[in-house]
Amino acid sequence: MDKAIGVFDSGIGGLTVVKELLKLLPHEDIVYFGDTARVPYGVKSRETIIKFSLENTLFLLQKNVKVIVVACNTSSSLALPVIRQHFKIPIIGVILPGAKEAVYATKNGRVGVIGTRATINSGAYEQEIKRLDNKIKVFSQACPMFVPIVEEDWVNDDIALHVAHKYLAPLRGKNIDTLILGCTHYPLLKPKIHAIMGRGVRLIDSAQQVAQEVRQVLIQEGLLSKNKKKSTREYFVSDEVAIFANVASRFLGEKLKDVKKAGVC
Amino acid sequence: MDKAIGVFDSGIGGLTVVKELLKLLPHEDIVYFGDTARVPYGVKSRETIIKFSLENTLFLLQKNVKVIVVACNTSSSLALPVIRQHFKIPIIGVILPGAKEAVYATKNGRVGVIGTRATINSGAYEQEIKRLDNKIKVFSQACPMFVPIVEEDWVNDDIALHVAHKYLAPLRGKNIDTLILGCTHYPLLKPKIHAIMGRGVRLIDSAQQVAQEVRQVLIQEGLLSKNKKKSTREYFVSDEVAIFANVASRFLGEKLKDVKKAGVC
């Protein structure tokens, strides 16, 4: 049996990555795990995020996967080195693809990064960008309220604009031409972020780049599916399915089928 | 050795109850558990909230407690009957004390309730109020964004006022004279809620009533401490201590000492 691509996230935001994988690699089977019982990760400590991420990895490994995508910026920022250290399977995070794209996109060498508090405090994006080009200046800002606003479906409300203004004001004076949306929820706020930062600032949403990276790794490792039949998708969540399915279709862009509950802890 | 009062919450909000317990029962030892690794509960399912609440109860039982206070509105709303069904120890929730106080306070028989989505969807406050006096009309409203606003320390920001206005607008037309703050975070938003609902609406924050209820139960069961020495307090959290201690003092009204990390899952 062909092995699947495993994807995990703290919750449902990682479905934006699944959406791009379905487009780019339509013949690959996918197993998704969303840790909806313990979401969010972005306000928690490094140690806890690593523990949860290792458990999620272990869950996916038992589902017969050939590669694991950490489709969560917080997990990728804090847990990726530890996951890679312990497991043999290829692991792909979302930080490097986003950082690469930002380095490629910026003309003036001034890049902004927004994300959860844990992601921003980790300095992960800044490190990757500096490793790729150490002349680039990076300006970071945590935006903890963006996730609740997306989950509350207030993205078109004036409150979203006020909140975005409050967080982004410090970045507006920095003359950045590129802004990394370092959390899978943030692309849903693109119109508000554009309205505040101006159309001249390019917004980097790494989901497409992550899918490209997955394709590269599968080719390199000789793991691309030779299957031409319709691929399968399985979705697992740690909290009740009903709670998850409601919001999930906004991220995936289509209705979810075959969602099952699975306990990791 | 004297047994302690055990208190648990999904996170740190339950410290508002500890604060009142320390005032009313200064000679009682207290063991607190905050499930900061899995916080919040209010957006999660009944089944998950029950599972976590049972695990928290089990944790406190191993700390030699004589009574357990479920200092979390979401846990109290959804898990209290199941906890009581399984464990012999007296269990005190926050719903009945708040409901009693509201029934006592209302003059016109029109009471509002605000809380997390899980608390409001459970209908727990409405049921308790109706059981006490079935002529009272109850109007409920979930306010999911209030917790992130308190945790982000934006209670004095205009955004808090906008958000409060958005949630409370449907309650303003209902001619209520009493409003239950059905989440331990909400008392920190009292000034904004007062500004919108008007001074004529009495805000019920059940922490004081819960402390009274604990005292009653300890007297009834012959469990009041005979100790006149200074009592002890132990605080346990499931995520890193540093993350917890920062915000916790705002709820407790004093600096926390002796906070330890403890894994429940």
Side-chain angles (χ1 to χ4, degrees):
Chain A
M1 196 185 86
D2 240 24
K3 289 188 170 188
I5 299 172
V7 182
F8 80 79
D9 179 36
S10 59
I12 53 175
L15 291 173
T16 53
V17 173
V18 172
K19 186 178 168 184
E20 298 301 326
L21 287 171
L22 294 175
K23 272 193 235 168
L24 190 70
L25 299 164
H27 300 299
E28 297 290 342
D29 295 338
I30 290 176
V31 181
Y32 182 88
F33 177 72
D35 195 7
T36 51
R38 304 189 292 194
V39 75
Y41 287 5
V43 296
K44 291 163 191 173
S45 71
R46 183 171 176 276
E47 192 181 321
T48 292
I49 294 160
I50 289 174
K51 176 178 181 286
F52 291 172
S53 302
L54 290 172
E55 288 167 355
N56 300 345
T57 303
L58 218 45
F59 174 83
L60 286 175
L61 285 173
Q62 293 169 76
K63 296 293 169 192
N64 197 33
V65 296
K66 57 187 173 187
V67 60
I68 287 177
V69 183
V70 183
C72 171
N73 282 269
T74 302
S75 277
S76 293
S77 297
L78 289 135
L80 207 59
V82 183
I83 303 176
R84 284 198 173 130
Q85 182 188 326
H86 292 313
F87 296 105
K88 291 177 180 171
I89 197 169
I91 315 273
I92 295 154
V94 295
I95 308 302
L96 184 57
K100 273 186 190 166
E101 181 68 6
V103 169
Y104 176 79
T106 183
K107 300 280 174 274
N108 71 358
R110 302 175 72 87
V111 172
V113 182
I114 55 177
T116 65
R117 189 152 284 142
T119 297
I120 296 305
N121 287 349
S122 77
Y125 273 107
E126 184 157 3
Q127 278 165 36
E128 289 293 356
I129 291 169
K130 292 281 186 192
R131 230 160 42 92
L132 295 165
D133 181 348
N134 70 10
K135 292 187 300 300
I136 291 177
K137 288 224 179 309
V138 181
F139 305 92
S140 301
Q141 175 67 44
C143 306
M145 205 72 80
F146 279 2
V147 169
I149 280 180
V150 171
E151 304 230 323
E152 188 69 341
D153 203 4
W154 281 7
V155 293
N156 297 315
D157 194 286
D158 271 355
I159 288 167
L161 197 66
H162 287 301
V163 170
H165 188 83
K166 192 172 164 82
Y167 284 133
L168 300 176
L171 288 178
R172 284 179 67 197
K174 298 292 194 280
N175 188 32
I176 59 171
D177 69 353
T178 306
L179 177 62
I180 296 177
L181 308 182
C183 172
T184 49
H185 278 64
Y186 296 1
L188 281 78
L189 283 164
K190 268 185 184 172
K192 301 296 187 212
I193 297 170
H194 262 312
I196 288 160
M197 297 305 295
R199 288 278 148 189
V201 174
R202 171 122 178 241
L203 305 184
I204 306 286
D205 148 19
S206 59
Q208 279 182 21
Q209 275 69 43
V210 173
Q212 291 285 359
E213 184 92 4
V214 173
R215 190 168 166 273
Q216 276 305 319
V217 169
L218 291 181
I219 291 169
Q220 275 166 27
E221 308 275 329
L223 293 171
L224 261 188
S225 171
K226 285 157 194 83
N227 214 335
K228 293 295 171 201
K229 71 162 174 45
K230 192 157 164 44
S231 60
T232 66
R233 301 144 198 197
E234 276 191 297
Y235 301 97
F236 294 92
V237 285
S238 51
D239 197 359
E240 282 297 276
V241 171
I243 294 221
F244 168 73
N246 283 343
V247 206
S249 56
R250 283 203 286 141
F251 285 92
L252 190 63
E254 62 177 55
K255 223 173 148 54
L256 263 84
K257 278 173 265 180
D258 299 322
V259 188
K260 301 180 197 79
K261 192 176 166 187
V264 281
C265 74
Chain B
M1 196 183 85
D2 238 21
K3 290 189 169 188
I5 298 171
V7 182
F8 81 79
D9 179 36
S10 59
I12 54 177
L15 291 172
T16 53
V17 173
V18 172
K19 186 178 169 185
E20 297 301 326
L21 287 171
L22 294 174
K23 271 192 234 168
L24 189 71
L25 299 163
H27 299 298
E28 297 290 341
D29 296 337
I30 290 177
V31 181
Y32 182 87
F33 177 72
D35 194 8
T36 51
R38 305 189 293 194
V39 75
Y41 287 4
V43 296
K44 290 164 193 172
S45 71
R46 182 172 177 274
E47 193 182 321
T48 293
I49 293 160
I50 289 174
K51 177 179 180 285
F52 292 172
S53 301
L54 290 171
E55 287 167 357
N56 300 344
T57 302
L58 218 45
F59 174 84
L60 286 175
L61 284 173
Q62 292 168 76
K63 296 293 168 193
N64 198 35
V65 296
K66 58 186 172 186
V67 60
I68 287 178
V69 183
V70 183
C72 171
N73 282 268
T74 303
S75 278
S76 292
S77 297
L78 289 136
L80 206 60
V82 183
I83 304 176
R84 283 196 175 132
Q85 182 188 326
H86 292 313
F87 296 106
K88 292 179 181 170
I89 196 170
I91 315 273
I92 294 154
V94 295
I95 307 301
L96 184 58
K100 272 185 189 165
E101 181 69 7
V103 169
Y104 176 78
T106 183
K107 301 278 175 275
N108 73 357
R110 302 174 73 85
V111 172
V113 181
I114 55 176
T116 65
R117 189 153 285 142
T119 297
I120 295 306
N121 288 349
S122 78
Y125 272 108
E126 185 157 1
Q127 278 165 36
E128 288 293 356
I129 291 169
K130 293 281 187 191
R131 231 160 40 91
L132 294 164
D133 181 348
N134 70 10
K135 291 186 301 299
I136 291 177
K137 288 223 179 311
V138 181
F139 305 91
S140 301
Q141 176 66 44
C143 306
M145 205 72 80
F146 279 2
V147 169
I149 281 180
V150 170
E151 304 229 323
E152 187 69 341
D153 204 3
W154 282 6
V155 292
N156 297 315
D157 194 286
D158 271 355
I159 289 168
L161 198 64
H162 288 300
V163 170
H165 187 82
K166 191 171 166 81
Y167 284 132
L168 300 176
L171 288 179
R172 285 179 68 196
K174 299 291 193 278
N175 189 32
I176 59 171
D177 69 352
T178 305
L179 177 61
I180 297 176
L181 308 182
C183 172
T184 48
H185 277 64
Y186 296 1
L188 280 77
L189 283 164
K190 268 186 185 173
K192 302 295 186 212
I193 297 170
H194 261 313
I196 288 160
M197 297 305 296
R199 288 277 150 192
V201 174
R202 170 123 179 241
L203 305 184
I204 306 286
D205 149 20
S206 58
Q208 279 182 23
Q209 276 70 42
V210 174
Q212 291 285 358
E213 184 92 4
V214 173
R215 189 168 168 274
Q216 276 306 318
V217 169
L218 291 180
I219 292 169
Q220 274 166 27
E221 308 274 331
L223 292 170
L224 261 187
S225 171
K226 285 158 194 83
N227 213 335
K228 293 295 172 199
K229 71 162 172 47
K230 191 159 165 41
S231 60
T232 64
R233 300 147 201 196
E234 275 191 298
Y235 301 97
F236 294 91
V237 284
S238 51
D239 197 359
E240 283 297 275
V241 170
I243 294 221
F244 170 72
N246 283 345
V247 204
S249 56
R250 283 202 287 141
F251 286 92
L252 190 64
E254 63 178 55
K255 224 173 147 52
L256 263 85
K257 277 174 265 179
D258 298 323
V259 187
K260 300 181 198 80
K261 191 177 166 187
V264 280
C265 75

